[in-house]
Amino acid sequence: MLYHVRMDVLIPADMDADKVNELKATEKALSQKLQEQGKWRHIWRLAGEYSNFSIFDVDSNEELHDIMMSLPLYPYMKVEVTPLLRHPSSVRDDDS
Ligand SMILES: O=C(O)CC1=CCC(=O)O1
């Protein structure tokens, strides 16, 4: 199952810098592990914003939910999830 997820990161301005760096580093490591596993298929930065568009390929709503809840930056994100399905006009064979 594919999902488009928009993540807007909203870290409090007064958070300790070392804590921020630790959160970003652990977020990056988990993100890259999930990308290697094929669960987090794409991640794109939105130009000029501390936001990303991501595509997840997971087995269920529950798996996506569990992944989102596990993200170290989740408490500091606004998240919008859109379930996706193959478009009948698509000519690609790798988008489902
Ligand atoms: O920087 C972001 O957009 C938040 C984020 C998600 C995965 C990651 O490494 O950073």
Side-chain angles (χ1 to χ4, degrees):
M1 300 170 73
L2 295 173
Y3 297 85
H4 175 273
V5 180
R6 175 178 177 141
M7 301 179 211
D8 297 301
V9 185
L10 305 156
I11 295 174
D14 62 353
M15 185 182 285
D16 177 72
D18 289 342
K19 172 74 174 166
V20 173
N21 289 334
E22 182 193 332
L23 282 170
K24 288 181 179 178
T26 51
E27 178 88 12
K28 181 174 183 175
L30 178 55
S31 168
Q32 292 185 333
K33 186 176 97 177
L34 290 164
Q35 289 175 63
E36 297 292 347
Q37 292 173 350
K39 300 282 183 191
W40 195 325
R41 263 215 219 166
H42 296 277
I43 181 167
W44 295 92
R45 178 64 78 214
L46 277 61
E49 301 183 51
Y50 192 2
S51 306
N52 72 71
F53 279 161
S54 290
I55 302 293
F56 286 85
D57 187 354
V58 293
D59 293 335
S60 64
N61 290 349
E62 185 177 17
E63 185 177 14
L64 180 73
H65 183 79
D66 290 346
I67 287 173
M68 296 309 301
M69 294 301 110
S70 75
L71 297 180
L73 284 174
Y74 182 81
Y76 310 105
M77 285 178 176
K78 176 173 174 283
V79 175
E80 290 176 10
V81 177
T82 307
L84 302 173
L85 66 157
R86 183 179 174 83
H87 194 286
S89 300
S90 176
V91 297
R92 299 188 184 280
D93 58 11
D94 63 350
D95 63 354
S96 60

